Amino acid sequence: NAGVMQNPRHLVRRRGQEARLRCSPMKGHSHVYWYRQLPEEGLKFMVYLQKENIIDESGMPKERFSAEFPKEGPSILRIQQVVRGDSAAYFCASSPQGVGTEAFFGQGTRLTVV
Amino acid sequence: DQQVKQNSPSLSVQEGRISILNCDYTNSMFDYFLWYKKYPAEGPTFLISISSIKDKNEDGRFTVFLNKSAKHLSLHIVPSQPGDSAVYFCAASEETGGGNKLTFGTGTQLKVEL
């Protein structure tokens, strides 16, 4: 049973380009969460999705960031017109159901904006 | 506003002794608490959790204690082993429509020395 799969592991983008980060949850998991870790900080919640629905996007920046979790395929975190401050590690987690179950994390995507 | 606080950025312990990592929280709505372990360039790995209806949960060498009145929890590792050297994150969640949105502390770097 494969764990949470994120790709790419490393992504380099020039300022102004778009970044697409992918996350395939564990088999049987229908809840997906995205977190961002800036250097020297803890993980910060960005968005919580279930299949085809955004449940909570209270941690998402108001502009340039979007997320989806389609009926088929992985969850996508999309960052348009990247800036240097977007450089961070982005982690995806999945869980089978709600509160009271553990969320399992992928290995993360390290985004570097040059 | 840091709702989950880990005030010790680092901790050094000798092999075989007890490691005690502390965590404080401010949001009284949190009802589920988790500890994650993280190695460099990897995603967080779930260690142990505790519901707010309990005050102790034990799993092998790991025990988590919860003091709700003090809004404090701690992770005890005994005996500590060199392989335990990692960053430990405390996380908390509240009932949010069935989701598992986690609020993380900033982490404590544990070093277990021979």
Side-chain angles (χ1 to χ4, degrees):
Chain A
N1 184 15
V4 177
M5 303 299 292
Q6 289 188 250
N7 68 82
R9 290 292 308 276
H10 300 276
L11 182 61
V12 179
R13 284 288 177 265
R14 294 187 184 280
R15 280 179 294 171
Q17 290 185 318
E18 178 179 287
R20 280 186 179 233
L21 289 64
R22 294 174 183 76
C23 170
S24 296
M26 287 180 70
K27 187 176 180 180
H29 287 194
S30 59
H31 298 235
V32 166
Y33 312 81
W34 285 93
Y35 292 83
R36 175 167 65 174
Q37 185 180 25
L38 295 170
E40 309 301 325
E41 293 188 14
L43 284 78
K44 303 285 188 193
F45 168 79
M46 298 182 75
V47 62
Y48 160 39
L49 310 103
Q50 292 183 31
K51 282 288 187 182
E52 301 184 275
N53 289 305
I54 296 174
I55 306 302
D56 183 343
E57 56 181 348
S58 58
M60 288 280 269
K62 294 288 185 278
E63 298 176 346
R64 303 186 298 107
F65 284 71
S66 62
E68 63 176 10
F69 189 16
K71 188 176 179 181
E72 302 290 337
S75 175
I76 306 286
L77 179 67
R78 182 182 177 204
I79 311 172
Q80 295 178 292
Q81 299 174 328
V82 295
V83 300
R84 287 227 170 100
D86 297 333
S87 296
Y90 292 82
F91 292 97
C92 168
S94 72
S95 67
Q97 53 191 39
V99 176
T101 61
E102 296 77 29
F104 294 87
F105 282 81
Q107 291 189 297
T109 294
R110 271 123 192 106
L111 172 65
T112 302
V113 180
V114 296
Chain B
D1 176 30
Q2 190 71 27
Q3 296 187 65
V4 177
K5 300 178 185 178
Q6 293 177 258
N7 292 320
S8 298
S10 63
L11 175 67
S12 188
V13 172
Q14 280 199 315
E15 181 182 12
R17 307 293 275 267
I18 185 171
S19 295
I20 300 176
L21 296 97
N22 294 303
C23 178
D24 298 291
Y25 61 96
T26 57
N27 187 344
S28 57
M29 298 299 291
F30 288 145
D31 53 15
Y32 195 66
F33 303 90
L34 308 91
W35 284 93
Y36 283 84
K37 174 180 178 180
K38 187 179 181 303
Y39 294 115
E42 292 188 13
T45 302
F46 169 76
L47 270 179
I48 193 169
S49 62
I50 187 167
S51 165
S52 60
I53 61 174
K54 294 185 175 181
D55 55 20
K56 177 183 175 181
N57 189 25
E58 190 173 352
D59 184 2
R61 296 186 299 114
F62 303 92
T63 303
V64 56
F65 295 91
L66 175 63
N67 181 335
K68 278 190 297 182
S69 60
K71 294 192 177 67
H72 177 83
L73 64 156
S74 61
L75 174 68
H76 293 209
I77 307 173
V78 55
S80 301
Q81 300 173 354
D84 295 331
S85 297
V87 178
Y88 288 78
F89 289 99
C90 169
S93 68
E94 58 178 293
E95 197 75 30
T96 51
N100 202 1
K101 168 185 169 183
L102 298 175
T103 301
F104 281 85
T106 51
T108 296
Q109 173 79 59
L110 174 64
K111 184 177 181 182
V112 180
E113 299 172 321
L114 297 171

